[in-house]
Amino acid sequence: MKKIEFSKEEKAEIVSRIRAYFDRELDPIGALPAEFLLDFFVEEIGAYVYNRGLRDAQAALLKRMEDMAEDIHLLEREEKILAP
């Protein structure tokens, strides 16, 4: 599996959110510890979150395909039986 990586901007936004969470719910945390925490979570649970997203996307796609198959079926016209 390809390593999960974020752009500088994405990482800065995530670190900012981690720090805000810690400020609200726990004790304040610096930028570097927040980056380490992000790296830990990505490495340890990133695959679980990524795989769940893939399963959710697959389920949504399958549902859309079923809906399309039903829509196509509704478009079918009655066929006349040809006499031999």
Side-chain angles (χ1 to χ4, degrees), residues 1 6 29 38 42-43 45 60 76 84:
M1 180 176 95
F6 300 105
I29 186 173
L38 171 61
V42 168
E43 178 135 347
I45 66 168
E76 289 181 356

Side-chain angles (χ1 to χ4, degrees), residues 1-80:
M1 180 176 95
K2 184 179 174 185
K3 184 179 177 184
I4 299 171
E5 295 182 10
F6 300 105
S7 69
K8 277 185 172 182
E9 295 80 15
E10 290 170 325
K11 193 166 192 174
E13 175 64 25
I14 297 167
V15 166
S16 174
R17 289 173 179 249
I18 290 171
R19 293 185 73 197
Y21 173 79
F22 270 74
D23 286 345
R24 271 191 329 272
E25 304 293 334
L26 303 165
D27 293 327
I29 186 173
L32 194 56
E35 282 190 45
F36 290 153
L37 185 60
L38 171 61
D39 292 341
F40 169 79
F41 282 134
V42 168
E43 178 135 347
E44 295 298 321
I45 66 168
Y48 294 99
V49 175
Y50 178 83
N51 290 340
R52 172 63 58 93
L54 287 178
R55 286 192 298 272
D56 289 349
Q58 182 181 30
L61 182 60
L62 288 173
K63 173 75 171 103
R64 294 280 302 188
M65 290 174 61
E66 289 172 3
D67 291 346
M68 287 176 54
E70 186 176 318
D71 290 346
I72 290 170
H73 178 70
L74 292 173
L75 293 172
E76 289 181 356
R77 298 181 182 188
E78 188 175 323
E79 298 173 3
K80 293 183 181 182

